[in-house]
Amino acid sequence: MTQLIYLTVLLPLLGFLINGLFGSKIKNEKIIGGIGSGVIGLSFLVSVMSFFELLSLPEEKREIIVHLFTWLKAGGLNVSFAYQVDQLSITMALIVTGVGFLIHLYSIGYMHGDKGFWRFFAYLNLFIFAMMNLILADNFVLLFLGWEGVGLCSYLLIGFWYDRKFEKSTTSDAAKKAFVVNRIGDFGFLLGMFLIFMTFGSLNFSEVFSRVSGMNVPTYVFNFIALFLFIGATGKSAQIPLFVWLPDAMAGPTPVSALIHAATMVTAGVYMVARTSIIFASAPAIMTVIAVVGLLTAFFAATIGLVQNDIKKVLAYSTVSQLGYMFLALGVGAFGAGIFHVMTHAFFKALLFLGAGSVIHGMHEEQNIQKYGGLKKYMPTTYKTFLVASIAIAGIPPFAGFFSKDEILWYSFANGGFIFWIIGAITALMTAFYMFRLLTLTFDGTPRFDVHHKHPHESPSIMTIPLVVLAVLSVIGGFIGIPEVFSGSHGNLFHGWLAPIFKKAELKLAHYGSHSHTTELILMAISVTGAALAIWFARKVYLQNPQFAVNTANKFKGLYKILFNKYYVDEVYDTTVVKPILKSSESFLWKIADVKLIDGAVNGLAKVVENSSEYIRKIQTGVTQFYAVIMTLGIALALFWIILSL
């Protein structure tokens, strides 16, 4: 079945073409939603069968290249349109198509009645097509095609409701912001690809990775390659300093937030770093940079999430924070742990976003959690599933988030040191606190809305069934990665599955330290106890006093204002980057470079031609005898020239 893996790419493309070309004529939402969801469901089935086929093969044969055709061939560049099926790519394929299928189902109910229903499903299918190209590619060029494709689809989906206002601007502005910021990161990625080709003479993964180990390349070259690739990852995966687009991406419909900005697109940078782990392992200085940036991003975003009141904004900053955890894992050499958190995060964060969408749907588009309260009696299924996801992200055992987050904290201590662990642990406490602040203000206590005019209601089954499935996965999804301290001789199954992918990289990082299982258990107990206390504290203060946030804001007015305004990062960027570029574009690029230089050159040349024609056209008298004289003179001059040249 692995030879048919291309179907997981072609089926979403087919869905996009059908709904994109004929959706406006079909009009029937059940047919459109059925086509859009069905192609993703079939892709998931192909992925599942490919997974089991791969599982049945010996470990040394679990890398299969499915070659479709030669794409580019020029000079030393030879790029095929080919897909690589191995442990890493099939794991990502299962996540993308599995979670993607549930989100597509949910969208049938959420987008019911929307005038762009067919267009929405066409865009979703196009996104899955691009994402599958990204994760299955066997070379950097095809990966970059998918990389740019998901960026395009993100722009289309964030600005889907282009006629709506979003905060102080519009959804179109949020979409443009995401597009431009991602292009900055993509420029770094391109530079990394150019340097890879210059150094290794190829852009195919197998050739590049084998030459990394076999060629004598200076460390500074690896540093530059790794740095450029990481810049690309910071854009796509919303890390400092290019994280500013993701919170604004909440302008799109909630299923977009769940699919693109929780489960798939934002993890593309994590996947890319993991796929090129051997390159990063050869650049230890850049590994440290990745770990520090990931840790700072996790902490920074968590502090902002503490005080946000928009339900989707809280989850957006939570996503940025969790992505920081993933890069922390990659930076300390725990590549398997990073991918493990990608998987568990896909389950509980998609569930949180879809649960938020269910609440927004039931509350008639209201998103301010200060105007909720007491919703669990109106929306019992949404409440229970949201509770499961909140416990999972808080890192409480035995839910999925506990296993992946604790593993990252353990490796950050073992390979990075106590400072990495303590900042990561404090971030985990803040995560538990703001998630249960969100849960409590939304579902518990007394309603803080007008019960006479707003009538909250549970979402239809087409929306709640995906919630239940994701809740189950959020509970049991972590058991595949039980740490060795508990699993004994069986070891960590998830790590064992991915071990061949990261074997060469981990050999280069063999100098990283390790500690006893006793230390691991102690740190685990501390982090779990801290998370439990944070949950208790959040429940206590917000159940007893829903105005706790207001009182805290008044007491710590300066700090609260800084956090609520997100450290004024957008304002700083606007002042130091956006406005100077706009001003220089207007004063120099437009009025001087464009109008005077470019237009001046074009218009000046036209003027020269026009003026010279005034004189030349006088030769055209219309008198035949005059033309004959000129022709005779021309012939005479030509003969004279020929005679002189003999």
Side-chain angles (χ1 to χ4, degrees):
M1 201 66 193
T2 53
Q3 294 298 323
L4 298 178
I5 197 67
Y6 60 85
L7 291 177
T8 62
V9 183
L10 290 182
L11 285 168
L13 179 61
L14 180 63
F16 162 71
L17 292 174
I18 293 174
N19 280 330
L21 294 174
F22 308 109
S24 59
K25 297 179 177 61
I26 296 174
K27 295 182 180 179
N28 188 306
E29 289 187 357
K30 290 183 179 180
I31 296 176
I32 294 170
I35 293 170
S37 303
V39 292
I40 308 303
L42 290 173
S43 295
F44 176 65
L45 288 177
V46 174
S47 299
V48 169
M49 289 187 284
S50 298
F51 165 74
F52 282 111
E53 182 178 332
L54 209 64
L55 194 63
S56 66
L57 297 174
E59 185 177 293
E60 64 275 7
K61 294 185 178 180
R62 287 178 180 170
E63 182 181 307
I64 299 170
I65 304 298
V66 180
H67 183 277
L68 298 182
F69 56 87
T70 299
W71 184 16
L72 300 171
K73 194 169 185 179
L77 180 65
N78 190 348
V79 177
S80 297
F81 215 97
Y83 297 128
Q84 179 170 321
V85 185
D86 59 15
Q87 295 92 324
L88 180 58
S89 63
I90 204 66
T91 299
M92 291 296 296
L94 290 171
I95 296 170
V96 171
T97 56
V99 176
F101 173 65
L102 294 174
I103 294 172
H104 275 71
L105 282 181
Y106 176 95
S107 300
I108 295 174
Y110 189 87
M111 298 300 292
H112 171 64
D114 192 279
K115 62 181 180 181
F117 189 89
W118 62 272
R119 186 165 52 91
F120 184 77
F121 275 88
Y123 291 167
L124 284 187
N125 282 172
L126 182 63
F127 170 79
I128 298 292
F129 162 74
M131 190 67 193
M132 292 302 291
N133 264 312
L134 190 158
I135 60 180
L136 290 172
D138 91 320
N139 59 77
F140 283 98
V141 182
L142 186 53
L143 186 150
F144 191 73
L145 174 69
W147 189 274
E148 290 299 286
V150 295
L152 168 65
C153 295
S154 177
Y155 169 79
L156 295 173
L157 287 165
I158 293 170
F160 181 77
W161 287 326
Y162 55 86
D163 54 350
R164 296 191 184 186
K165 291 287 184 182
F166 176 71
E167 295 183 346
K168 297 179 182 179
S169 55
T170 65
T171 58
S172 297
D173 291 325
K176 285 186 287 187
K177 183 177 182 179
F179 192 79
V180 171
V181 172
N182 271 273
R183 297 294 75 71
I184 297 170
D186 295 349
F187 178 68
F189 192 8
L190 273 174
L191 291 178
M193 288 173 56
F194 294 156
L195 193 50
I196 286 171
F197 184 71
M198 287 174 59
T199 306
F200 303 108
S202 176
L203 288 172
N204 295 320
F205 291 151
S206 58
E207 295 177 5
V208 171
F209 299 157
S210 64
R211 292 171 188 175
V212 167
S213 302
M215 290 175 62
N216 186 19
V217 178
T219 302
Y220 75 88
V221 175
F222 282 119
N223 286 340
F224 275 114
I225 292 174
L227 181 60
F228 287 142
L229 294 180
F230 179 57
I231 290 172
T234 60
K236 200 66 70 184
S237 294
Q239 297 296 285
I240 292 174
L242 300 179
F243 70 96
V244 291
W245 68 270
L246 194 144
D248 283 14
M250 298 303 109
T254 305
V256 174
S257 305
L259 179 64
I260 294 182
H261 307 117
T264 51
M265 172 183 158
V266 291
T267 60
V270 181
Y271 167 79
M272 184 266 288
V273 174
R275 173 59 74 189
T276 56
S277 57
I278 184 64
I279 292 177
F280 283 89
S282 303
I286 305 304
M287 292 276 286
T288 303
V289 171
I290 294 173
V292 171
V293 169
L295 187 63
L296 291 178
T297 302
F299 183 85
F300 178 81
T303 58
I304 297 174
L306 291 171
V307 299
Q308 298 303 307
N309 292 322
D310 185 308
I311 187 171
K312 289 175 69 176
K313 276 291 180 73
V314 176
L315 298 179
Y317 281 103
S318 172
T319 298
V320 176
S321 184
Q322 296 304 306
L323 288 166
Y325 268 112
M326 296 173 201
F327 279 98
L328 171 61
L330 298 174
V332 297
F335 299 104
I339 297 299
F340 187 30
H341 199 55
V342 167
M343 183 187 77
T344 60
H345 178 262
F347 299 153
F348 57 70
K349 186 53 65 66
L351 175 54
L352 286 168
F353 269 116
L354 296 185
S358 181
V359 171
I360 295 168
H361 182 268
M363 287 294 289
H364 310 288
E365 303 306 313
E366 178 60 65
Q367 293 186 201
N368 190 338
I369 59 176
Q370 299 292 348
K371 297 179 181 180
Y372 288 163
L375 290 180
K376 67 180 178 182
K377 70 176 180 180
Y378 300 101
M379 312 175 74
T381 303
T382 299
Y383 166 69
K384 291 173 185 175
T385 54
F386 204 94
L387 174 62
V388 167
S390 299
I391 295 173
I393 194 174
I396 301 298
F399 291 72
F402 160 73
F403 294 101
S404 57
K405 184 178 290 186
D406 179 76
E407 187 174 16
I408 292 173
L409 289 175
W410 164 243
Y411 276 109
S412 68
F413 178 82
N415 298 345
F418 179 75
I419 295 297
F420 278 24
W421 179 84
I422 192 65
I423 296 176
I426 292 172
T427 302
L429 302 190
M430 289 191 288
T431 301
F433 179 84
Y434 67 64
M435 283 310 307
F436 276 83
R437 167 184 178 263
L438 172 62
L439 180 80
T440 303
L441 288 176
T442 301
F443 294 101
D444 292 301
T446 56
R448 296 183 299 281
F449 54 88
D450 188 350
V451 294
H452 300 293
H453 293 87
K454 283 196 174 182
H455 306 283
H457 55 84
E458 185 60 276
S459 299
S461 57
I462 193 70
M463 294 172 65
T464 55
I465 289 173
L467 297 183
V468 173
V469 175
L470 287 169
V472 172
L473 292 172
S474 297
V475 174
I476 66 173
F479 286 102
I480 195 174
I482 297 176
E484 292 181 11
V485 67
F486 295 132
S487 59
S489 60
H490 296 289
N492 186 316
L493 295 178
F494 194 81
H495 274 212
W497 168 249
L498 291 178
I501 303 295
F502 306 125
K503 184 177 180 180
K504 291 182 179 179
E506 289 174 352
L507 285 174
K508 280 182 172 286
L509 301 172
H511 63 281
Y512 277 178
S514 62
H515 297 270
S516 68
H517 285 321
T518 303
T519 306
E520 182 179 0
L521 288 171
I522 292 172
L523 296 178
M524 189 185 300
I526 293 172
S527 65
V528 171
T529 303
L533 289 173
I535 292 171
W536 170 82
F537 183 63
R539 298 283 292 173
K540 178 179 172 62
V541 296
Y542 286 104
L543 277 175
Q544 292 181 356
N545 182 14
Q547 294 301 309
F548 176 78
V550 177
N551 298 334
T552 305
N554 292 330
K555 190 174 182 180
F556 304 99
K557 189 172 292 185
L559 178 61
Y560 182 87
K561 190 175 181 181
I562 290 173
L563 295 180
F564 187 76
N565 288 286
K566 301 158 284 189
Y567 293 98
Y568 297 97
V569 172
D570 281 309
E571 288 78 1
V572 171
Y573 280 2
D574 190 56
T575 302
T576 60
V577 179
V578 178
K579 286 182 179 177
I581 289 176
L582 289 175
K583 190 173 181 179
S584 62
S585 299
E586 180 182 355
S587 61
F588 176 73
L589 295 178
W590 169 33
K591 293 183 178 179
I592 296 177
D594 191 10
V595 175
K596 292 185 178 180
L597 296 179
I598 298 175
D599 288 353
V602 173
N603 295 335
L605 184 61
K607 196 69 176 175
V608 169
V609 172
E610 181 183 2
N611 291 337
S612 59
S613 338
E614 287 289 330
Y615 297 100
I616 295 174
R617 72 184 181 85
K618 293 178 181 179
I619 299 175
Q620 306 295 326
T621 61
V623 178
T624 305
Q625 293 89 333
F626 177 76
Y627 295 155
V629 171
I630 295 297
M631 184 173 65
T632 303
L633 288 174
I635 294 170
L637 288 173
L639 290 172
F640 185 70
W641 177 261
I642 292 171
I643 292 169
L644 287 178
S645 60
L646 292 175

